[in-house]
Amino acid sequence: MKYVLKNGIILDGTREMQPVSGMMIRIEDGKIKEIQPDEDRVSDCEVIDLKGAYVLPGLINLHVHMATSGKPPKANKKPTNYKRLFQILSRSRLVKFVLKRMLKGYARTELMSGVTTIRTVGGILDMDARIRDEINDGKLIGPRILAGNTGVSVPGGHFAGSIATEAESPEQAREHVRQIAATGPDHIKLMITGGVMDASEEGEPGVLRMPPEIVKAACDEAHRLGYKVAAHVESPEGVRVALENGVDTVEHGAKLDDNMIRLFKERGASPVCTISPALPYAVFDLSESHAPAVAKKNGKIVMDGIIECARTCRENGIPVGLGNDVGCPFIVHYNFWRELCYYHKYVGASNEETLHTATMGNAQIAGIDNETGSLEKGKSADLIVVKENPLEDLTVLRSVSMVMVRGRLIRNPKVKRMKYVDDLLDRYM
């Protein structure tokens, strides 16, 4: 289809973006053909009158686990045994079929909420890549997917045996990377430290699980094969080990020292800020989070570390990415907009910088900025429309009135919301 978007106010995704009126966006063959002054008469295409609404690049979520819904835990329920679930999944074709169908729905929800690109960082088998390929082939409606497939962990490590393998030696880590590469991912994910959900003691989230020599072996093999490496890291020691041994993006983060800042700059690495998953543990009452008491203090430690890491990197000119770790408790597939609000509120970024970070900035970190991330001639027609100005209030991103991905238009996109989750989180906006 050919479209012309008229009478809209353009926010182009650049760092210094300002509202631009009096221009129309011409879209052909899935790309932005031209951004030019409005014309009264336009032929050979469908003209869409935006009636003063704001049009901006589609959001890019750099930290997604597509295999889970984000549904909050119930009171007095035992923690999920993910390793056991994976064992059942690996033996059951029916369970795989049902799960893949759920994942397709979650991908669609991301798109309907205004996220036109997701980067998955730990999934089940090769399902993320398979869904990516079906979307690319036009068989499904969904966002652009940068697939991580299964990650690499160690025995007793973060999500070991479920969404990550268990490498016991550097040689085995290299072999696991090669096996994952054979499933067609876009990058490799490592689980270097523990996290809030698997910490056994108060005050110890992010304990180093993966030895430096295994981190190095996995990174070296991934880089040899042409893949960048993302790593789950939630402690200062983990950040140091990650950067010293070749990680490209530090997912989550922790308090940095001068040596870590130097390493970020030398390696050209970036942190991906994910305040969303830590916030419910850190600020909810235990009667609301239904988490163990140990998780509240640990959640606060992790949340503070993520915020300080992002602040320090911003102050030192290190690009920061945004993701919301969707799939963790209370982090659902339509709520990436909240991560932008947290970044503005806790890290101190302006609305302009926050929007740039969630669009063009994230595209640059992911290496897809020649394709998407901003409204420019020749780029993919990935955009959203909102009725009010997000430079004045980021919460307007909660409801988008139009989504387009690769030139495919979705009018009045809808998502199924979890009222209980939204009501709790709205108290902390």
Side-chain angles (χ1 to χ4, degrees):
M1 291 290 294
K2 298 179 181 180
Y3 299 100
V4 164
L5 307 185
K6 293 187 63 178
N7 298 325
I9 303 173
I10 297 173
L11 300 172
D12 63 11
T14 57
R15 183 173 292 276
E16 305 298 333
M17 76 181 87
Q18 291 297 316
V20 175
S21 303
M23 304 292 283
M24 66 184 193
I25 303 173
R26 185 181 293 274
I27 295 160
E28 294 184 16
D29 300 322
K31 294 185 179 295
I32 298 173
K33 183 178 180 181
E34 201 69 64
I35 300 177
Q36 62 191 66
D38 268 339
E39 299 175 4
D40 292 333
R41 294 183 179 181
V42 180
S43 59
D44 300 326
C45 62
E46 180 180 347
V47 177
I48 300 174
D49 187 349
L50 297 181
K51 299 179 181 179
Y54 290 78
V55 56
L56 59 150
L59 303 180
I60 299 173
N61 188 345
L62 288 188
H63 196 111
V64 171
H65 298 284
M66 244 193 342
T68 48
S69 68
K71 187 176 180 180
K74 295 181 179 179
N76 302 316
K77 184 181 179 181
K78 292 183 179 180
T80 302
N81 187 332
Y82 290 101
K83 191 170 183 177
R84 175 60 179 157
L85 281 178
F86 179 78
Q87 291 171 347
I88 294 171
L89 169 66
S90 63
R91 294 194 297 264
S92 172
R93 293 179 63 183
L94 176 60
V95 175
K96 288 181 184 177
F97 174 81
V98 172
L99 182 62
K100 187 177 179 183
R101 186 174 179 179
M102 289 172 57
L103 265 61
K104 292 177 182 178
Y106 296 152
R108 183 182 176 89
T109 297
E110 291 278 346
L111 180 62
M112 296 300 155
S113 71
V115 176
T116 55
T117 298
I118 64 173
R119 173 176 171 260
T120 67
V121 282
I124 294 177
L125 303 173
D126 61 348
M127 288 190 180
D128 293 354
R130 288 191 178 194
I131 293 171
R132 173 202 64 198
D133 293 345
E134 290 188 28
I135 292 171
N136 290 349
D137 291 342
K139 297 175 182 177
L140 293 175
I141 298 175
R144 175 182 287 96
I145 295 178
L146 304 175
N149 291 348
T150 304
V152 179
S153 190
V154 293
H158 198 56
F159 283 103
S162 56
I163 62 171
T165 65
E166 298 175 286
E168 298 183 28
S169 67
E171 293 75 20
Q172 200 170 73
R174 293 188 193 97
E175 176 59 28
H176 287 191
V177 169
R178 289 192 291 271
Q179 291 172 355
I180 294 166
T183 68
D186 295 294
H187 49 267
I188 300 296
K189 172 70 180 295
L190 307 183
M191 305 292 192
I192 292 179
T193 75
V196 175
M197 291 188 289
D198 53 20
S200 58
E201 297 180 12
E202 191 174 273
E204 70 132 23
V207 63
L208 185 67
R209 302 291 188 194
M210 184 175 284
E213 60 271 19
I214 291 183
V215 177
K216 186 177 189 307
C219 288
D220 287 350
E221 188 65 16
H223 292 156
R224 185 185 73 81
L225 295 172
Y227 295 103
K228 288 188 175 182
V229 179
H232 169 96
V233 178
E234 292 187 351
S235 67
E237 183 182 16
V239 173
R240 178 185 60 78
V241 168
L243 294 173
E244 286 179 346
N245 292 284
V247 164
D248 298 291
T249 59
V250 171
E251 310 293 313
H252 314 304
K255 184 178 180 179
L256 306 180
D257 60 21
D258 290 342
N259 180 53
M260 296 174 200
I261 295 169
R262 176 184 61 81
L263 287 169
F264 263 116
K265 291 181 176 181
E266 287 181 357
R267 307 291 190 195
S270 292
V272 175
C273 181
T274 59
I275 298 170
S276 294
L279 184 142
Y281 291 108
V283 305
F284 283 10
D285 187 89
L286 292 177
S287 65
E288 298 167 337
S289 66
H290 303 309
V294 66
K296 189 170 181 68
K297 182 174 181 179
N298 288 339
K300 183 67 164 58
I301 292 171
V302 169
M303 182 174 169
D304 289 347
I306 291 169
I307 292 169
E308 186 164 350
C309 180
R311 283 177 177 167
T312 302
C313 284
R314 284 180 65 247
E315 292 166 0
N316 286 274
I318 298 165
V320 179
L322 287 181
N324 68 340
D325 208 353
V326 62
C328 289
F330 298 95
I331 316 305
V332 294
H333 284 276
Y334 58 80
N335 265 348
F336 180 53
W337 66 275
R338 292 186 189 273
E339 186 67 32
L340 279 67
C341 295
Y342 299 150
Y343 191 66
H344 168 69
K345 177 178 179 179
Y346 294 106
V347 179
S350 67
N351 286 8
E352 290 89 344
E353 180 186 345
T354 299
L355 279 177
H356 167 74
T357 300
T359 53
M360 189 58 172
N362 274 356
Q364 290 169 337
I365 289 171
I368 56 173
D369 50 302
N370 287 331
E371 183 178 4
T372 189
S374 60
L375 300 183
E376 296 181 61
K377 179 180 178 179
K379 286 196 173 183
S380 180
D382 301 342
L383 55 87
I384 60 176
V385 175
V386 292
K387 293 180 179 179
E388 298 177 56
N389 187 358
L391 297 185
E392 296 177 355
D393 182 3
L394 289 168
T395 66
V396 304
L397 297 170
R398 181 181 198 136
S399 298
V400 298
S401 57
M402 189 180 296
V403 176
M404 182 178 285
V405 61
R406 295 184 173 118
R408 189 164 188 172
L409 178 64
I410 299 102
R411 295 176 169 86
N412 301 312
K414 305 294 183 184
V415 297
K416 185 177 180 180
R417 301 183 182 274
M418 296 186 192
K419 187 176 185 303
Y420 173 71
V421 170
D422 287 346
D423 287 347
L424 276 176
L425 291 173
D426 283 348
R427 297 183 345 207
Y428 301 97
M429 295 307 300

